[in-house]
Amino acid sequence: QGGTITIVRGRLLWFHHEPLGADDEASFTLIEDGGLVCRNGCIAWVGDWSDLPADHRDADYADHRPHLVLPGFIDPHIHFPQGQVVASYAGSLLEWLNTYTFIEEQRYGDPRFAATMAKRFCDMLLAHGTTTCVAFGSVHKGSATALLAEAATRNMRLVTGKVMMDRNAPEALTDTAQSGYDDTKALIADWHGEARLEVAISPRFALTSTDAQMEAAGALAREHPECLIQTHLSENHGEIEAVEALFPDAADYTDVYERFGLLTDKSLMGHCIHLSAREIGRMAETGAVAVFCPTSNLFLGSGLFDLDRIKGGGVRHAIATDIGGGTSWSLLKTLDEGYKVLNLQGHRYHPMRAFWQATLGNAEAIGMADRIGTLDAGTEADFIVLDARATEAMALRMETVETLAEELFVLQTLGDDRAVTAAYVAGRITHATA
Ligand code: GUN
Ligand code: ZN
């Protein structure tokens, strides 16, 4: 039959749609003693271990029981050049950007530094169980190139783009409307669709782009409808006021993006905390995605994302770390903080929904649910192994746990990278702890 074969045994869990309630058993599959056969980077067979096809019965396999095997986490909003910005002492978004972030990102103009950091970035993702991300680069084309090249060597499915920003930032961290367009265009030509890679059109946010650059980003979106668009929207009150002053003709912040053709079903809008009813309506009608970044929103004091209001308004949604405004690389910790943000607003965030979101839900948000975020046969073999007893505190709590939902809740509330005992990318183990 040919091809590289990997066989894995464990407690398999994956989702089919967003759980409608705690007891929505049709929304997921759990196989207590399951097997996965990976061939050429994809899942060739999945099922009960006792049904493993005869030609594989004598083969070596990795036995991950009693741990859960899930699709790898997907992080749809993270900043490649901010691994060393995390935990910078700041009051709020604009202070944090100006004091630390716009200084640090200048270092990524050096391609050798960017290449070194790209390795470390991918290592961090995998150690935390994240097998795919949509990442902002720095303004430098070379930063995106470095990350794409690194992901290619690892056969990771990854999306990134160079950030477009031509005002309100230090000279060394700005491009121009033309160069931002040209560099993004070249990245798309060279990388989009290569290996498992995609290029995203990445205007940083309206505050750091002139009208001319917003036009250029809109032109790219029209010329490349296959590309995701990533940006920030309605994160902080000071930011919103500044944007409204810069674009006085726009109805509101969301309308700034819409006017330039940047509000589409390919748009990943980071934060979306302070949206009006009109803005929520436009998000829903265009199919744009609101990306919830709880650790960032709490750390920077940006506000409380209202998931029920967003969802109730028919807006697509995702959850993400937003490293380095966010404080954890872990989607588990992100779900934990997301739970607290919802709880503060009198809402609930059931663990089944949370784990759907971090896997299939995020895959749907970035248009890749046919390939990742699932363990269905025929999809790409990106999955992780989670140990709900990884720490003493977790093991202690697990002694009284009886249901899958309880186990997932322990994982998200007490877990972090220590709970990720292995990560597989395209059927190959890339990260394992004892
Ligand atoms: N808005 C514009 N740039 C950024 C960024 O790097 N992080 C966050 N959290 N918000 C932003
Ligand atoms: Zn961000």
Side-chain angles (χ1 to χ4, degrees), residues 1 7 37 45 48-59:
Q1 305 181 335
I7 302 174
V37 178
W45 181 88
D48 279 312
W49 185 258
S50 57
D51 296 333
L52 189 73
D55 48 339
H56 296 307
R57 293 233 177 99
D58 298 324

Side-chain angles (χ1 to χ4, degrees), residues 83-143:
Q84 293 179 316
V85 180
V86 186
S88 291
Y89 186 81
S92 65
L93 173 68
L94 301 180
E95 179 196 335
W96 175 85
L97 283 173
N98 290 316
T99 313
Y100 310 102
T101 313
F102 288 171
I103 310 303
E104 171 68 10
E105 291 192 8
Q106 295 180 35
R107 299 170 74 198
Y108 288 72
D110 172 0
R112 286 183 50 202
F113 178 74
T116 303
M117 296 309 274
K119 281 195 176 38
R120 298 176 73 183
F121 182 81
C122 292
D123 285 345
M124 287 294 274
L125 293 178
L126 295 170
H128 288 80
T130 299
T131 49
T132 286
C133 74
V134 183
F136 290 85
S138 67
V139 73
H140 316 95
K141 180 183 173 219
S143 72

